[in-house]
Coordinates of all heavy atoms in Angstrom, one line a residue:
M1 N -29.2 -51.8 -97.3 CA -30.2 -51.5 -98.3 C -29.4 -51.1 -99.6 O -28.5 -50.3 -99.5 CB -31.1 -50.4 -97.8 CG -32.1 -49.9 -98.7 SD -33.4 -48.8 -98.1 CE -34.1 -49.8 -96.9
T2 N -29.8 -51.5 -100.7 CA -29.1 -51.2 -102.0 C -29.7 -50.0 -102.6 O -30.8 -49.5 -102.3 CB -29.2 -52.4 -102.9 OG1 -30.6 -52.5 -103.3 CG2 -28.7 -53.7 -102.3
E3 N -29.0 -49.4 -103.6 CA -29.5 -48.3 -104.3 C -30.7 -48.7 -105.0 O -31.7 -47.9 -105.1 CB -28.4 -47.8 -105.3 CG -28.9 -46.5 -106.0 CD -27.7 -46.0 -107.0 OE1 -26.6 -45.9 -106.5 OE2 -28.1 -45.8 -108.1
S4 N -30.8 -49.9 -105.5 CA -32.1 -50.4 -106.2 C -33.3 -50.3 -105.2 O -34.4 -49.9 -105.6 CB -31.8 -51.8 -106.7 OG -33.0 -52.2 -107.3
D5 N -33.0 -50.8 -104.0 CA -34.1 -50.7 -103.0 C -34.6 -49.3 -102.8 O -35.8 -49.0 -102.7 CB -33.6 -51.2 -101.6 CG -33.3 -52.7 -101.7 OD1 -33.8 -53.5 -102.5 OD2 -32.4 -53.1 -100.8
I6 N -33.6 -48.3 -102.7 CA -33.9 -46.9 -102.5 C -34.8 -46.4 -103.7 O -35.7 -45.6 -103.5 CB -32.7 -46.1 -102.2 CG1 -32.1 -46.6 -100.8 CG2 -33.0 -44.6 -102.2 CD1 -30.7 -46.0 -100.6
R7 N -34.3 -46.7 -104.9 CA -35.1 -46.3 -106.1 C -36.5 -46.8 -106.0 O -37.4 -46.0 -106.3 CB -34.4 -46.9 -107.4 CG -33.1 -46.2 -107.7 CD -32.6 -46.8 -109.0 NE -31.3 -46.1 -109.4 CZ -31.3 -44.9 -109.9 NH1 -32.5 -44.3 -110.2 NH2 -30.2 -44.3 -110.2
E8 N -36.8 -48.0 -105.6 CA -38.1 -48.5 -105.5 C -38.9 -47.8 -104.4 O -40.1 -47.5 -104.6 CB -38.1 -50.0 -105.2 CG -37.6 -50.8 -106.4 CD -38.4 -50.5 -107.7 OE1 -39.7 -50.5 -107.7 OE2 -37.7 -50.3 -108.7
I9 N -38.3 -47.4 -103.3 CA -38.9 -46.7 -102.2 C -39.3 -45.3 -102.7 O -40.4 -44.8 -102.4 CB -38.0 -46.7 -101.0 CG1 -38.0 -48.1 -100.4 CG2 -38.5 -45.6 -100.0 CD1 -36.9 -48.2 -99.3
V10 N -38.4 -44.6 -103.4 CA -38.7 -43.3 -104.0 C -39.9 -43.4 -104.9 O -40.8 -42.6 -104.9 CB -37.4 -42.7 -104.6 CG1 -37.8 -41.4 -105.4 CG2 -36.4 -42.4 -103.6
K11 N -39.9 -44.4 -105.8 CA -41.0 -44.6 -106.7 C -42.3 -44.8 -106.0 O -43.3 -44.2 -106.3 CB -40.7 -45.8 -107.7 CG -39.7 -45.5 -108.7 CD -39.5 -46.8 -109.6 CE -38.3 -46.6 -110.5 NZ -38.1 -47.8 -111.3
R12 N -42.2 -45.6 -105.0 CA -43.5 -45.9 -104.2 C -44.0 -44.6 -103.5 O -45.2 -44.3 -103.5 CB -43.2 -47.0 -103.2 CG -44.4 -47.5 -102.5 CD -44.2 -48.9 -101.8 NE -43.0 -48.9 -100.9 CZ -41.9 -49.7 -101.0 NH1 -41.9 -50.6 -102.1 NH2 -40.9 -49.7 -100.2
A13 N -43.1 -43.8 -102.9 CA -43.4 -42.5 -102.3 C -44.0 -41.6 -103.3 O -45.0 -40.9 -103.0 CB -42.2 -42.0 -101.5
L14 N -43.5 -41.5 -104.5 CA -44.0 -40.6 -105.5 C -45.4 -41.1 -105.9 O -46.3 -40.3 -106.1 CB -43.1 -40.6 -106.7 CG -41.8 -39.8 -106.5 CD1 -40.8 -40.1 -107.7 CD2 -42.0 -38.3 -106.3
N15 N -45.6 -42.4 -106.1 CA -46.8 -43.0 -106.5 C -47.9 -42.7 -105.4 O -49.1 -42.5 -105.7 CB -46.7 -44.5 -106.7 CG -47.9 -45.0 -107.4 OD1 -48.3 -44.5 -108.5 ND2 -48.4 -46.1 -106.9
N16 N -47.5 -42.6 -104.2 CA -48.5 -42.4 -103.1 C -49.0 -41.0 -103.1 O -50.2 -40.7 -102.8 CB -47.8 -42.6 -101.7 CG -47.6 -44.1 -101.4 OD1 -48.3 -44.9 -101.9 ND2 -46.7 -44.3 -100.5
I17 N -48.2 -40.0 -103.6 CA -48.7 -38.6 -103.7 C -49.4 -38.3 -105.0 O -50.1 -37.4 -105.1 CB -47.6 -37.6 -103.3 CG1 -46.5 -37.7 -104.3 CG2 -47.2 -37.7 -101.9 CD1 -45.6 -36.5 -104.4
A18 N -49.0 -39.1 -106.1 CA -49.5 -38.8 -107.4 C -49.8 -40.1 -108.1 O -49.0 -40.5 -109.1 CB -48.6 -37.9 -108.2
P19 N -50.8 -40.9 -107.7 CA -51.0 -42.2 -108.3 C -51.3 -42.2 -109.8 O -51.2 -43.2 -110.4 CB -52.2 -42.7 -107.5 CG -52.8 -41.6 -106.8 CD -51.8 -40.5 -106.7
E20 N -51.7 -41.0 -110.3 CA -52.1 -40.9 -111.7 C -50.8 -40.8 -112.6 O -51.0 -41.0 -113.8 CB -53.0 -39.8 -112.0 CG -52.4 -38.4 -111.9 CD -52.2 -37.9 -110.4 OE1 -52.5 -38.6 -109.4 OE2 -51.7 -36.8 -110.2
I21 N -49.7 -40.6 -112.0 CA -48.4 -40.5 -112.7 C -47.7 -41.8 -112.9 O -47.6 -42.5 -112.0 CB -47.5 -39.5 -112.0 CG1 -48.1 -38.1 -111.8 CG2 -46.2 -39.4 -112.7 CD1 -48.4 -37.3 -113.1
D22 N -47.3 -42.1 -114.1 CA -46.4 -43.3 -114.3 C -45.0 -43.0 -113.9 O -44.3 -42.2 -114.7 CB -46.5 -43.8 -115.8 CG -45.7 -45.0 -116.1 OD1 -45.0 -45.5 -115.2 OD2 -45.7 -45.4 -117.2
V23 N -44.6 -43.4 -112.8 CA -43.3 -43.0 -112.3 C -42.1 -43.5 -113.2 O -41.0 -43.0 -113.1 CB -43.0 -43.5 -110.8 CG1 -44.0 -42.7 -109.9 CG2 -43.1 -44.9 -110.6
E24 N -42.4 -44.5 -114.0 CA -41.4 -45.0 -114.9 C -41.1 -44.0 -116.0 O -40.1 -44.2 -116.7 CB -41.8 -46.4 -115.5 CG -42.0 -47.5 -114.5 CD -40.8 -47.8 -113.7 OE1 -39.7 -47.7 -114.2 OE2 -41.0 -48.2 -112.5
T25 N -41.9 -43.0 -116.3 CA -41.7 -42.1 -117.3 C -41.0 -40.8 -116.8 O -40.7 -39.9 -117.6 CB -43.0 -41.7 -118.0 OG1 -43.9 -41.0 -117.0 CG2 -43.8 -42.9 -118.6
I26 N -40.8 -40.7 -115.5 CA -40.1 -39.5 -115.0 C -38.7 -39.4 -115.5 O -37.9 -40.4 -115.4 CB -40.2 -39.6 -113.4 CG1 -41.6 -39.4 -113.0 CG2 -39.3 -38.6 -112.8 CD1 -41.8 -39.6 -111.5
D27 N -38.3 -38.2 -115.9 CA -36.9 -38.0 -116.2 C -36.1 -37.8 -114.9 O -36.4 -36.9 -114.1 CB -36.8 -36.7 -117.1 CG -35.4 -36.4 -117.5 OD1 -34.4 -36.7 -116.8 OD2 -35.3 -35.8 -118.7
P28 N -35.2 -38.7 -114.7 CA -34.5 -38.7 -113.4 C -33.7 -37.5 -113.1 O -33.3 -37.2 -111.9 CB -33.6 -39.9 -113.4 CG -33.4 -40.3 -114.9 CD -34.7 -39.8 -115.6
G29 N -33.4 -36.6 -114.1 CA -32.6 -35.5 -113.9 C -33.3 -34.2 -113.8 O -32.8 -33.1 -113.6
K30 N -34.7 -34.3 -114.0 CA -35.5 -33.0 -114.0 C -36.3 -32.9 -112.7 O -36.6 -33.9 -112.0 CB -36.4 -33.0 -115.2 CG -35.7 -32.9 -116.5 CD -36.6 -32.7 -117.7 CE -35.9 -32.5 -119.0 NZ -36.8 -32.4 -120.1
D31 N -36.7 -31.7 -112.4 CA -37.5 -31.4 -111.2 C -38.7 -32.2 -111.1 O -39.5 -32.2 -112.1 CB -37.8 -29.9 -111.2 CG -38.4 -29.4 -109.9 OD1 -39.6 -29.5 -109.8 OD2 -37.7 -29.0 -109.0
L32 N -38.9 -32.8 -110.0 CA -40.1 -33.7 -109.8 C -41.3 -32.9 -109.7 O -42.4 -33.3 -110.3 CB -39.9 -34.5 -108.5 CG -38.8 -35.6 -108.5 CD1 -38.6 -36.2 -107.1 CD2 -39.2 -36.7 -109.5
R33 N -41.3 -31.8 -109.0 CA -42.5 -31.0 -108.9 C -43.1 -30.6 -110.2 O -44.3 -30.5 -110.4 CB -42.3 -29.8 -107.9 CG -42.2 -30.3 -106.5 CD -41.8 -29.2 -105.5 NE -42.9 -28.1 -105.6 CZ -42.9 -27.0 -104.9 NH1 -41.8 -26.7 -104.1 NH2 -43.8 -26.1 -105.0
E34 N -42.2 -30.1 -111.1 CA -42.6 -29.7 -112.4 C -43.1 -30.8 -113.3 O -44.2 -30.7 -113.9 CB -41.4 -29.0 -113.1 CG -41.1 -27.6 -112.6 CD -39.9 -27.0 -113.3 OE1 -39.5 -27.5 -114.4 OE2 -39.3 -26.0 -112.7
Q35 N -42.4 -31.9 -113.3 CA -42.8 -33.1 -114.1 C -44.1 -33.7 -113.7 O -44.9 -34.1 -114.5 CB -41.8 -34.2 -114.0 CG -40.5 -33.9 -114.7 CD -39.6 -35.1 -114.7 OE1 -39.7 -36.0 -115.5 NE2 -38.7 -35.1 -113.7
M36 N -44.3 -33.7 -112.3 CA -45.5 -34.3 -111.8 C -46.7 -33.3 -111.6 O -47.7 -33.8 -111.2 CB -45.2 -35.1 -110.5 CG -44.1 -36.2 -110.8 SD -43.7 -37.0 -109.3 CE -45.2 -37.9 -108.9
D37 N -46.4 -32.1 -111.7 CA -47.3 -31.0 -111.5 C -47.9 -31.1 -110.1 O -49.2 -31.2 -109.9 CB -48.4 -31.0 -112.6 CG -49.3 -29.8 -112.5 OD1 -48.7 -28.7 -112.2 OD2 -50.5 -29.8 -112.9
I38 N -47.0 -31.2 -109.1 CA -47.5 -31.3 -107.7 C -47.1 -30.0 -107.0 O -46.1 -29.3 -107.3 CB -46.9 -32.5 -107.0 CG1 -45.3 -32.5 -107.0 CG2 -47.4 -33.8 -107.6 CD1 -44.7 -33.6 -106.2
D39 N -47.8 -29.6 -106.0 CA -47.6 -28.4 -105.2 C -46.7 -28.7 -104.0 O -46.2 -29.9 -103.8 CB -48.9 -27.8 -104.8 CG -49.7 -28.7 -103.8 OD1 -49.2 -29.6 -103.2 OD2 -50.9 -28.4 -103.7
S40 N -46.4 -27.7 -103.2 CA -45.4 -27.8 -102.1 C -46.0 -28.7 -101.0 O -45.2 -29.4 -100.4 CB -45.1 -26.4 -101.5 OG -46.2 -25.8 -101.1
V41 N -47.3 -28.8 -100.8 CA -47.9 -29.7 -99.9 C -47.7 -31.1 -100.3 O -47.3 -32.0 -99.5 CB -49.3 -29.3 -99.6 CG1 -50.0 -30.4 -98.7 CG2 -49.5 -27.9 -99.1
D42 N -47.9 -31.5 -101.5 CA -47.7 -32.8 -102.0 C -46.2 -33.2 -101.9 O -45.9 -34.3 -101.6 CB -48.1 -32.9 -103.5 CG -49.6 -33.0 -103.7 OD1 -50.3 -33.4 -102.7 OD2 -50.1 -32.5 -104.7
F43 N -45.3 -32.2 -102.2 CA -43.9 -32.5 -102.1 C -43.5 -32.8 -100.7 O -42.7 -33.7 -100.4 CB -43.1 -31.4 -102.7 CG -41.6 -31.8 -102.9 CD1 -41.2 -32.6 -104.0 CD2 -40.6 -31.3 -102.0 CE1 -39.9 -33.0 -104.1 CE2 -39.3 -31.7 -102.2 CZ -39.0 -32.6 -103.2
L44 N -44.1 -32.0 -99.8 CA -43.8 -32.2 -98.3 C -44.3 -33.6 -97.9 O -43.6 -34.3 -97.2 CB -44.5 -31.1 -97.5 CG -44.3 -31.3 -96.0 CD1 -42.9 -31.2 -95.6 CD2 -45.1 -30.2 -95.3
N45 N -45.5 -34.0 -98.4 CA -46.0 -35.3 -98.1 C -45.1 -36.4 -98.7 O -44.9 -37.5 -98.1 CB -47.4 -35.5 -98.7 CG -48.4 -34.8 -97.8 OD1 -48.3 -34.6 -96.6 ND2 -49.5 -34.3 -98.5
F46 N -44.5 -36.2 -99.8 CA -43.5 -37.1 -100.4 C -42.3 -37.2 -99.5 O -41.8 -38.4 -99.2 CB -43.1 -36.6 -101.8 CG -41.8 -37.2 -102.3 CD1 -41.8 -38.5 -102.7 CD2 -40.7 -36.4 -102.5 CE1 -40.6 -39.1 -103.2 CE2 -39.5 -37.0 -103.1 CZ -39.5 -38.3 -103.4
V47 N -41.8 -36.1 -99.0 CA -40.6 -36.1 -98.0 C -41.0 -36.9 -96.8 O -40.2 -37.7 -96.3 CB -40.1 -34.7 -97.8 CG1 -39.1 -34.7 -96.7 CG2 -39.6 -34.0 -99.0
I48 N -42.2 -36.6 -96.3 CA -42.7 -37.3 -95.0 C -42.8 -38.8 -95.3 O -42.4 -39.6 -94.4 CB -44.0 -36.7 -94.6 CG1 -43.8 -35.3 -94.0 CG2 -44.6 -37.6 -93.5 CD1 -45.1 -34.5 -93.8
G49 N -43.2 -39.2 -96.5 CA -43.3 -40.6 -96.8 C -41.9 -41.3 -96.8 O -41.8 -42.4 -96.4
L50 N -40.9 -40.5 -97.4 CA -39.6 -41.1 -97.4 C -39.1 -41.2 -95.9 O -38.5 -42.2 -95.6 CB -38.6 -40.2 -98.2 CG -38.9 -40.2 -99.7 CD1 -38.0 -39.0 -100.3 CD2 -38.6 -41.5 -100.3
H51 N -39.3 -40.2 -95.1 CA -38.9 -40.3 -93.7 C -39.5 -41.5 -93.0 O -38.8 -42.2 -92.3 CB -39.4 -39.0 -93.0 CG -39.4 -39.1 -91.5 ND1 -38.3 -39.1 -90.8 CD2 -40.5 -39.2 -90.7 CE1 -38.7 -39.2 -89.5 NE2 -40.0 -39.2 -89.5
K52 N -40.8 -41.7 -93.2 CA -41.5 -42.8 -92.6 C -41.0 -44.2 -93.1 O -40.8 -45.1 -92.3 CB -43.0 -42.7 -92.8 CG -43.6 -41.6 -91.9 CD -45.1 -41.6 -92.1 CE -45.8 -40.5 -91.3 NZ -47.2 -40.4 -91.6
E53 N -40.8 -44.3 -94.4 CA -40.4 -45.5 -95.0 C -39.0 -45.9 -94.6 O -38.7 -47.1 -94.4 CB -40.5 -45.4 -96.5 CG -40.2 -46.6 -97.3 CD -41.3 -47.6 -97.6 OE1 -42.4 -47.1 -97.5 OE2 -41.0 -48.8 -97.8
L54 N -38.1 -44.9 -94.5 CA -36.7 -45.2 -94.3 C -36.3 -44.9 -92.9 O -35.1 -45.3 -92.5 CB -35.8 -44.4 -95.3 CG -36.0 -44.7 -96.8 CD1 -35.4 -43.6 -97.6 CD2 -35.4 -46.0 -97.0
N55 N -37.1 -44.4 -92.1 CA -36.9 -44.1 -90.7 C -35.6 -43.2 -90.5 O -34.7 -43.5 -89.7 CB -36.7 -45.4 -89.9 CG -36.8 -45.1 -88.4 OD1 -37.5 -44.2 -88.0 ND2 -36.2 -45.9 -87.6
I56 N -35.5 -42.2 -91.4 CA -34.4 -41.2 -91.3 C -35.0 -39.8 -91.2 O -36.0 -39.5 -91.8 CB -33.4 -41.3 -92.4 CG1 -34.1 -41.0 -93.8 CG2 -32.7 -42.7 -92.4 CD1 -33.1 -40.9 -94.9
E57 N -34.2 -38.9 -90.5 CA -34.6 -37.5 -90.5 C -34.1 -36.9 -91.8 O -33.0 -37.2 -92.2 CB -33.9 -36.9 -89.3 CG -34.5 -37.3 -87.9 CD -36.0 -37.0 -87.8 OE1 -36.4 -35.9 -88.2 OE2 -36.7 -37.9 -87.2
I58 N -34.9 -36.0 -92.4 CA -34.5 -35.2 -93.5 C -34.6 -33.8 -93.1 O -35.8 -33.3 -93.1 CB -35.4 -35.6 -94.8 CG1 -35.3 -37.1 -95.1 CG2 -35.0 -34.7 -96.0 CD1 -36.2 -37.6 -96.2
P59 N -33.5 -33.1 -92.8 CA -33.6 -31.8 -92.3 C -34.1 -30.9 -93.4 O -33.9 -31.1 -94.6 CB -32.1 -31.4 -92.1 CG -31.4 -32.7 -91.9 CD -32.2 -33.7 -92.8
D60 N -34.8 -29.8 -93.0 CA -35.4 -28.8 -94.0 C -34.3 -28.3 -94.9 O -34.6 -28.1 -96.1 CB -36.0 -27.6 -93.2 CG -37.3 -28.0 -92.5 OD1 -37.9 -29.1 -92.8 OD2 -37.7 -27.2 -91.6
A61 N -33.1 -28.1 -94.4 CA -32.0 -27.6 -95.3 C -31.7 -28.6 -96.4 O -31.1 -28.2 -97.4 CB -30.8 -27.3 -94.4
D62 N -32.0 -29.8 -96.3 CA -31.6 -30.9 -97.3 C -32.8 -31.2 -98.3 O -32.6 -31.9 -99.2 CB -31.3 -32.2 -96.6 CG -29.9 -32.1 -95.9 OD1 -29.2 -31.1 -96.0 OD2 -29.6 -33.0 -95.2
V63 N -34.0 -30.6 -98.1 CA -35.1 -30.9 -98.9 C -34.8 -30.6 -100.4 O -35.2 -31.3 -101.3 CB -36.4 -30.2 -98.4 CG1 -37.5 -30.3 -99.4 CG2 -36.8 -30.9 -97.0
A64 N -34.1 -29.5 -100.6 CA -33.8 -29.1 -102.0 C -33.0 -30.2 -102.7 O -33.1 -30.3 -104.0 CB -33.0 -27.8 -102.0
K65 N -32.3 -31.0 -102.0 CA -31.5 -32.1 -102.6 C -32.4 -33.2 -103.1 O -32.0 -34.1 -103.9 CB -30.5 -32.7 -101.6 CG -29.5 -31.7 -101.1 CD -28.6 -32.2 -100.1 CE -27.6 -31.2 -99.6 NZ -26.7 -31.7 -98.5
L66 N -33.7 -33.2 -102.8 CA -34.6 -34.2 -103.3 C -35.4 -33.7 -104.5 O -36.4 -34.3 -104.8 CB -35.6 -34.5 -102.1 CG -34.9 -35.0 -100.8 CD1 -36.0 -35.1 -99.7 CD2 -34.2 -36.2 -101.0
A67 N -35.0 -32.6 -105.1 CA -35.8 -32.0 -106.2 C -35.9 -33.0 -107.4 O -36.9 -32.9 -108.1 CB -35.2 -30.7 -106.6
T68 N -34.9 -33.8 -107.6 CA -35.0 -34.7 -108.8 C -35.0 -36.2 -108.3 O -34.6 -36.4 -107.1 CB -33.8 -34.5 -109.8 OG1 -32.6 -34.9 -109.1 CG2 -33.7 -33.0 -110.2
F69 N -35.3 -37.0 -109.2 CA -35.3 -38.4 -108.8 C -33.9 -38.9 -108.5 O -33.6 -39.5 -107.4 CB -35.9 -39.3 -109.9 CG -36.1 -40.7 -109.5 CD1 -37.2 -41.2 -108.9 CD2 -35.0 -41.7 -109.9 CE1 -37.3 -42.6 -108.6 CE2 -35.2 -43.0 -109.5 CZ -36.3 -43.4 -108.9
N70 N -32.9 -38.5 -109.3 CA -31.6 -38.9 -109.1 C -31.0 -38.3 -107.8 O -30.3 -38.9 -107.1 CB -30.7 -38.5 -110.3 CG -30.8 -39.5 -111.4 OD1 -31.3 -40.6 -111.3 ND2 -30.3 -39.1 -112.6
G71 N -31.4 -37.0 -107.6 CA -31.1 -36.4 -106.4 C -31.5 -37.1 -105.1 O -30.8 -37.2 -104.1
C72 N -32.8 -37.5 -105.2 CA -33.4 -38.3 -104.1 C -32.6 -39.5 -103.8 O -32.2 -39.8 -102.7 CB -34.8 -38.7 -104.4 SG -36.0 -37.4 -104.3
V73 N -32.3 -40.3 -104.8 CA -31.6 -41.5 -104.7 C -30.1 -41.3 -104.1 O -29.7 -42.0 -103.2 CB -31.5 -42.4 -106.0 CG1 -30.6 -43.6 -105.9 CG2 -32.9 -42.8 -106.4
T74 N -29.5 -40.3 -104.7 CA -28.1 -40.0 -104.2 C -28.1 -39.6 -102.8 O -27.3 -40.1 -102.0 CB -27.5 -38.9 -105.1 OG1 -27.5 -39.4 -106.5 CG2 -26.1 -38.6 -104.6
Y75 N -29.0 -38.7 -102.5 CA -29.1 -38.1 -101.1 C -29.4 -39.3 -100.1 O -28.8 -39.4 -99.0 CB -30.1 -37.0 -101.0 CG -30.3 -36.6 -99.6 CD1 -29.4 -35.7 -98.9 CD2 -31.4 -37.0 -98.8 CE1 -29.7 -35.3 -97.6 CE2 -31.6 -36.6 -97.5 CZ -30.8 -35.8 -97.0 OH -31.0 -35.4 -95.6
L76 N -30.5 -40.1 -100.4 CA -30.9 -41.1 -99.5 C -29.8 -42.2 -99.3 O -29.6 -42.7 -98.2 CB -32.2 -41.7 -99.9 CG -33.4 -40.7 -99.9 CD1 -34.6 -41.2 -100.6 CD2 -33.7 -40.2 -98.5
T77 N -29.2 -42.5 -100.4 CA -28.1 -43.5 -100.3 C -27.0 -43.1 -99.4 O -26.6 -43.8 -98.6 CB -27.6 -43.9 -101.8 OG1 -28.6 -44.3 -102.6 CG2 -26.5 -44.9 -101.7
S78 N -26.6 -41.8 -99.6 CA -25.6 -41.2 -98.7 C -26.0 -41.2 -97.3 O -25.2 -41.6 -96.4 CB -25.3 -39.8 -99.2 OG -24.4 -39.2 -98.4
R79 N -27.2 -40.7 -97.0 CA -27.7 -40.6 -95.6 C -27.8 -42.0 -95.0 O -27.3 -42.2 -93.8 CB -29.1 -40.0 -95.6 CG -29.1 -38.5 -95.9 CD -28.8 -37.7 -94.7 NE -29.9 -37.8 -93.8 CZ -29.8 -37.7 -92.4 NH1 -28.7 -37.3 -91.9 NH2 -30.8 -37.8 -91.7
L80 N -28.3 -43.0 -95.7 CA -28.4 -44.3 -95.1 C -27.0 -44.9 -94.9 O -26.8 -45.6 -93.9 CB -29.3 -45.2 -96.0 CG -30.7 -44.8 -96.0 CD1 -31.5 -45.5 -97.1 CD2 -31.4 -45.1 -94.6
T81 N -26.1 -44.7 -95.8 CA -24.7 -45.2 -95.6 C -24.1 -44.6 -94.4 O -23.5 -45.2 -93.6 CB -23.8 -44.9 -96.9 OG1 -24.5 -45.6 -98.0 CG2 -22.4 -45.5 -96.7
N82 N -24.2 -43.3 -94.3 CA -23.6 -42.5 -93.1 C -24.3 -43.0 -91.8 O -23.6 -43.2 -90.8 CB -23.8 -41.0 -93.3 CG -22.9 -40.4 -94.4 OD1 -22.0 -41.1 -94.8 ND2 -23.3 -39.3 -94.9
L83 N -25.6 -43.2 -91.8 CA -26.3 -43.7 -90.6 C -25.8 -45.1 -90.2 O -25.6 -45.4 -89.1 CB -27.8 -43.7 -90.8 CG -28.4 -42.3 -90.8 CD1 -29.9 -42.5 -91.1 CD2 -28.3 -41.7 -89.4
Q84 N -25.6 -45.9 -91.3 CA -25.2 -47.3 -91.0 C -23.8 -47.3 -90.3 O -23.5 -48.0 -89.4 CB -25.1 -48.1 -92.3 CG -24.8 -49.6 -92.0 CD -25.7 -50.3 -91.1 OE1 -26.9 -50.1 -91.2 NE2 -25.2 -51.2 -90.2
T85 N -22.9 -46.4 -90.8 CA -21.6 -46.3 -90.3 C -21.6 -45.8 -88.8 O -20.9 -46.3 -88.0 CB -20.7 -45.3 -91.1 OG1 -20.7 -45.8 -92.5 CG2 -19.4 -45.1 -90.6
V86 N -22.5 -44.8 -88.5 CA -22.7 -44.3 -87.2 C -23.2 -45.4 -86.3 O -22.8 -45.6 -85.1 CB -23.6 -43.1 -87.1 CG1 -23.9 -42.7 -85.7 CG2 -22.8 -41.9 -87.8
R87 N -24.2 -46.2 -86.8 CA -24.8 -47.2 -86.0 C -23.9 -48.4 -85.7 O -24.1 -49.1 -84.8 CB -26.1 -47.6 -86.6 CG -27.2 -46.6 -86.5 CD -28.5 -47.0 -87.2 NE -29.5 -46.0 -87.2 CZ -30.4 -45.9 -88.1 NH1 -30.6 -46.8 -89.0 NH2 -31.3 -44.9 -88.0
D88 N -23.1 -48.7 -86.7 CA -22.2 -49.9 -86.7 C -20.8 -49.5 -86.9 O -20.2 -49.8 -88.0 CB -22.7 -50.9 -87.7 CG -22.1 -52.2 -87.5 OD1 -21.3 -52.4 -86.6 OD2 -22.3 -53.1 -88.4
P89 N -20.1 -48.8 -86.0 CA -18.8 -48.3 -86.3 C -17.8 -49.3 -86.5 O -16.7 -49.0 -87.0 CB -18.5 -47.5 -85.0 CG -19.4 -47.9 -84.0 CD -20.6 -48.5 -84.7
G90 N -18.0 -50.6 -86.2 CA -17.1 -51.7 -86.4 C -16.8 -51.9 -87.9 O -15.8 -52.6 -88.2
H91 N -17.6 -51.3 -88.8 CA -17.4 -51.5 -90.2 C -16.7 -50.4 -90.9 O -16.6 -50.3 -92.1 CB -18.8 -51.7 -90.9 CG -19.3 -53.1 -90.7 ND1 -20.1 -53.4 -89.7 CD2 -19.2 -54.2 -91.5 CE1 -20.4 -54.7 -89.8 NE2 -19.9 -55.2 -90.8
Q92 N -16.2 -49.5 -90.1 CA -15.4 -48.4 -90.7 C -14.0 -48.9 -91.0 O -13.5 -49.8 -90.3 CB -15.2 -47.3 -89.6 CG -16.5 -46.5 -89.4 CD -16.2 -45.4 -88.3 OE1 -15.2 -45.3 -87.7 NE2 -17.2 -44.5 -88.2
S93 N -13.5 -48.4 -92.1 CA -12.2 -48.8 -92.5 C -11.2 -47.9 -91.7 O -11.5 -46.7 -91.5 CB -11.9 -48.7 -94.0 OG -12.2 -47.4 -94.5
G94 N -10.1 -48.4 -91.4 CA -9.3 -47.5 -90.6 C -8.0 -47.9 -90.3 O -7.1 -47.4 -89.8

């Protein structure tokens, strides 16, 4: 999965919790909850949506890393890369 794919998944998950927001206008470096005026329950639903879409666990301790759009993409890209390495160790350099 590419970073571009992950960006689209994050946009889709955001759109699912706040369909009235144009996700293309979100500042990727600013707090999503503030920009989108969503509460903690909506944000939790966003995290659950990412979990379901990507089939990865997002520990409570890591949720803060999802505060911005760029943070989401960076975190998810890293998690998926690490999971791929664990699932397919033959692709490790060594």
Side-chain angles (χ1 to χ4, degrees):
M1 181 172 296
T2 67
E3 184 177 310
S4 178
D5 295 334
I6 293 170
R7 287 181 176 283
E8 291 306 311
I9 289 168
V10 172
K11 287 179 185 179
R12 192 164 48 242
L14 289 170
N15 195 50
N16 286 340
I17 60 160
E20 70 281 3
I21 301 293
D22 179 1
V23 295
E24 299 300 328
T25 64
I26 291 174
D27 183 326
K30 291 188 178 177
D31 187 274
L32 289 170
R33 288 176 60 181
E34 290 178 12
Q35 288 186 83
M36 299 179 70
D37 194 29
I38 57 175
D39 61 22
S40 57
V41 173
D42 285 333
F43 192 75
L44 178 61
N45 286 330
F46 164 65
V47 174
I48 290 169
L50 293 173
H51 161 74
K52 287 180 178 177
E53 180 92 21
L54 295 167
N55 196 30
I56 61 169
E57 293 297 322
I58 301 172
D60 291 343
D62 289 352
V63 170
K65 296 176 182 177
L66 305 175
T68 66
F69 186 86
N70 282 345
C72 287
V73 173
T74 300
Y75 173 79
L76 295 170
T77 301
S78 173
R79 287 277 292 155
L80 290 168
T81 300
N82 290 341
L83 286 174
Q84 183 61 39
T85 301
V86 169
R87 290 179 184 155
D88 190 4
H91 282 87
Q92 289 180 348
S93 60

